[in-house]
Amino acid sequence: MQNQRAGTPASTGLSGPKNPNPNESTPFPDVRPKDANGPMHTLIVYSHLIAACIAVGVLLMQDLELSKLGGRRLNIGAVKDLKRAAQIIQCALGALWASGIILVAVGAWNDPNYLANQKLWAKIAVVVVLTANGALLHSYSFPRVVSATGVVGLPFLEKSAVVATGAVSTVSWLFACYLGVARPWNHTVQFDGVMYLYLSLLMPACVAGLVFIHGFARAKPASQRLPQSASGFTQLRAAVLRRIH
């Protein structure tokens, strides 16, 4: 008792643990789930991956079939295949948006720095572009692809717009899928850099598509010269035979 300073209460040993920093208030308890990779999260990621694989697979197969036709008029079977592929891709895109929103919400709930990932926002921007481009494909490009003239019979500007929307669709889907698996880019790349890379892929794809379709359109009249010449020769031969007889 002699060592105790005057005016200082003695410790009873019954008080709780002291706050190491009395200027800081006690934080609220962390109620966020500790396991961000639980079974439900894994199932959502799996469904997200499956939807992306289905959409890209159907898209590439349809692009291959259309490239074989070279922009010519589609038959009834090809038109049905195109409509079926468009419906599948549309459903897959809806599933991607739904599962993607859930994944972003869970990620932001578990990690306060999750939304600071610039690659995430670049991926969202690319998906927004492919969604808007998909609406343009359905409303503008598809009616012209299945028209009686085909793509090669369209005016120059309409033909170019149809090819450009197709190129944007293919590049956007492939690039969005790449961003989904590019884990080393998380929190290491900037939004501007990713979008510059995206544009650098879009431009050559559009140019290649335009060169292909316009080159095919120029070659088409040359291929029709032989049947026209043969028809004129047949008419001349018939006229000569009539004079002889």
Side-chain angles (χ1 to χ4, degrees):
M1 297 297 294
Q2 295 179 354
N3 295 332
Q4 182 178 356
R5 294 183 180 180
T8 303
S11 176
T12 61
L14 298 178
S15 60
K18 295 182 179 180
N19 190 353
N21 189 353
N23 295 325
E24 293 183 358
S25 59
T26 303
F28 290 103
D30 189 2
V31 296
R32 294 176 298 183
K34 300 300 182 182
D35 186 8
N37 297 322
M40 184 57 66
H41 182 270
T42 303
L43 181 61
I44 297 173
V45 173
Y46 181 70
S47 62
H48 194 76
L49 177 63
I50 291 297
C53 292
I54 291 175
V56 172
V58 173
L59 176 70
L60 293 179
M61 291 179 62
Q62 193 61 47
D63 286 347
L64 180 61
E65 293 298 325
L66 291 177
S67 64
K68 290 180 179 179
L69 294 174
R72 294 189 298 268
R73 177 182 178 181
L74 304 182
N75 55 33
I76 298 177
V79 172
K80 290 182 178 179
D81 292 340
L82 180 62
K83 292 181 178 179
R84 187 183 304 111
Q87 292 175 353
I88 294 174
I89 295 175
Q90 187 175 7
C91 292
L93 181 60
L96 281 171
W97 269 110
S99 58
I101 291 174
I102 295 174
L103 291 175
V104 170
V106 172
W109 178 260
N110 286 279
D111 183 5
N113 297 322
Y114 184 82
L115 296 180
N117 186 6
Q118 296 293 302
K119 191 207 75 172
L120 172 66
W121 292 108
K123 180 182 177 182
I124 293 175
V126 173
V127 175
V128 169
V129 170
L130 72 86
T131 302
N133 184 76
L136 189 61
L137 278 171
H138 285 274
S139 62
Y140 181 86
S141 298
F142 286 167
R144 287 163 174 77
V145 171
V146 301
S147 62
T149 61
V151 178
V152 293
L154 296 174
F156 180 85
L157 292 179
E158 292 186 16
K159 189 187 308 179
S160 301
V162 170
V163 174
T165 54
V168 170
S169 177
T170 302
V171 173
S172 298
W173 273 105
L174 293 175
F175 193 69
C177 291
Y178 176 78
L179 291 179
V181 299
R183 296 296 180 88
W185 284 13
N186 290 336
H187 300 282
T188 60
V189 295
Q190 296 297 320
F191 177 85
D192 295 343
V194 178
M195 297 309 294
Y196 285 147
L197 177 60
Y198 173 57
L199 292 176
S200 68
L201 296 175
L202 276 181
M203 296 301 293
C206 292
V207 171
L210 293 174
V211 170
F212 172 79
I213 197 66
H214 289 301
F216 189 89
R218 287 193 299 268
K220 183 180 178 181
S223 63
Q224 292 178 346
R225 292 174 185 173
L226 181 59
Q228 292 176 355
S229 300
S231 177
F233 178 77
T234 302
Q235 293 177 0
L236 178 61
R237 180 184 177 185
V240 172
L241 290 177
R242 283 196 300 269
R243 287 180 176 273
I244 294 176
H245 294 287

